[in-house]
Amino acid sequence: MKIIVCIKQVPDTAGGVKFNPDGTLDRAAMLTIMNPDDKAGLEAALRLKDQYGAEVTVLTMGLPKAGDTLREALAMGADNAVLVTDRCLGGADTWATSSTIAAAIREMGDYDLIITGRQAIDGDTAQVGPQIAEHLGIPQVSYAEEIVEAEEGKLVVKRQFEDRYHIIEVKTPCLITALAELATPRYMTVHGIFDAYREKEVKVWTLEELKDTVDMANIGLKGSPTNVKQSFTKQAKGKGLYYKDLSPEDAVETIVAKLEERHII
Ligand code: FAD
């Protein structure tokens, strides 16, 4: 089984979000991490590798420093890593990002399963995974919480839905988008870290490597129908209302009255 896991390097928002004066994210000033949903997806892939001997390739599109996140994935146990990086890819929206990633996957050739995260914690759109599947013309299962079965030619996936679960059987090759609940990521081992830097390689692909598979009209800022004009922190909503020294019964009555007054209930 050949598995490709798409990984995005994202700012570590736990360390505080920093902005440039023009309102764009100051990515250089923020620490970066592997997007959490992607890490769960990688763990799910590694478990399939442990069980069935799958080959796991991690793929990212980003700045050269995104290679560090791929090294982390290699240290966790991924076999191969590809970093797609080129100045012309900067400013990509979800459409241009998914077009480029799909082109890289076409360039890789054979695969049985593609795993993406459900969403990235910076852009937060949850569009890239489903768009990759559409570009490649393969079936997809989003919001995957469990891979129930993996057999030759098919997967059974438990998919989270609003108030229920769906158990979906899907033919491979297919794409699933991983929720953080899909699998708790393992830690890197010391041996894994040595291997990631000494034995394994992060292949770097520019547009030159993708020239046979990419549509140049659909990449980077120029190929992006959406532009993010500004990002900014939400203003605090105010202090709220405090009620002191109420009995539990009075507290309930007061809160319910307030919620009714504001048409919340
Ligand atoms: P999502 O669709 O949330 O990511 C889902 C999964 O796709 C990830 O978990 C990962 O597995 C995979 N993936 C995503 N990006 C990569 C990558 N570079 N390499 C490998 N795998 C990847 N763009 C829009 O088109 N519309 C918007 O409304 C929009 N809003 C934005 C708001 C902010 C604050 C920011 C910072 C960016 C926004 N963007 C938007 C740009 C968007 O972040 C980029 O297009 C980005 O490359 C992908 O979108 P995403 O982060 O929403 O990913």
Side-chain angles (χ1 to χ4, degrees), residues 241-262:
L241 297 171
Y242 289 89
Y243 299 98
K244 279 186 179 168
D245 305 327
L246 296 178
S247 67
E249 292 78 13
D250 288 347
V252 168
E253 211 171 290
T254 309
I255 292 168
V256 168
K258 270 287 164 210
L259 293 173
E260 281 175 348
E261 183 188 307
R262 297 186 180 199

Side-chain angles (χ1 to χ4, degrees), residues 206-218:
T206 61
L207 283 177
E208 178 58 26
E209 280 76 14
L210 302 186
K211 64 179 185 300
D212 297 331
T213 52
V214 81
D215 179 348
M216 296 296 279
N218 290 330

Side-chain angles (χ1 to χ4, degrees), residues 24-232:
T24 55
L25 280 179
D26 185 356
R27 290 179 188 268
M30 293 164 71
L31 295 174
T32 53
I33 53 168
M34 188 185 303
N35 184 53
D37 286 352
D38 307 356
K39 210 169 190 178
L42 173 59
E43 176 61 33
L46 295 174
R47 288 184 192 179
L48 290 172
K49 176 181 168 180
D50 294 343
Q51 262 182 299
Y52 305 105
E55 182 183 342
V56 178
T57 300
V58 287
L59 167 64
T60 194
M61 181 191 97
L63 296 170
K65 73 170 187 169
D68 297 343
T69 300
L70 294 182
R71 293 273 177 207
E72 184 185 346
L74 290 173
M76 285 172 68
D79 301 291
N80 316 300
V82 176
L83 164 66
V84 178
T85 187
D86 197 299
R87 276 181 186 276
C88 301
L89 300 173
D93 69 354
T94 61
W95 171 256
T97 300
S98 59
S99 302
T100 309
I101 291 174
I105 291 172
R106 278 191 216 103
E107 187 59 35
M108 286 177 188
D110 270 1
Y111 57 87
D112 301 288
L113 173 62
I114 300 168
I115 303 180
T116 73
R118 182 261 314 253
Q119 75 187 63
I121 59 170
D122 54 351
D124 241 2
T125 64
Q127 293 172 5
V128 171
Q131 287 177 354
I132 295 170
E134 287 297 315
H135 287 304
L136 297 172
I138 57 171
Q140 57 177 290
V141 181
S142 55
Y143 291 78
E145 190 177 302
E146 189 186 336
I147 297 175
V148 183
E149 275 176 48
E151 282 178 22
E152 188 67 39
K154 75 165 192 189
L155 282 185
V156 179
V157 180
K158 182 176 171 189
R159 172 183 196 266
Q160 202 183 83
F161 203 62
E162 281 166 21
D163 57 349
R164 69 199 77 173
Y165 290 102
H166 293 153
I167 303 292
I168 295 180
E169 188 178 303
V170 58
K171 283 187 187 160
T172 58
C174 65
L175 180 146
I176 66 173
T177 78
L179 295 177
E181 294 90 325
L182 182 63
T184 305
R186 66 191 65 187
Y187 290 107
M188 297 177 278
T189 60
V190 173
H191 186 76
I193 295 169
F194 270 99
D195 271 3
Y197 283 88
R198 290 194 177 168
E199 306 293 332
K200 295 177 180 173
E201 181 196 1
V202 174
K203 286 188 186 142
V204 179
W205 288 0
T206 61
L207 283 177
E208 178 58 26
E209 280 76 14
L210 302 186
K211 64 179 185 300
D212 297 331
T213 52
V214 81
D215 179 348
M216 296 296 279
N218 290 330
I219 60 159
L221 190 61
K222 280 193 185 154
S224 294
T226 314
N227 287 320
V228 180
K229 294 275 183 206
Q230 197 188 6
S231 312
F232 52 91

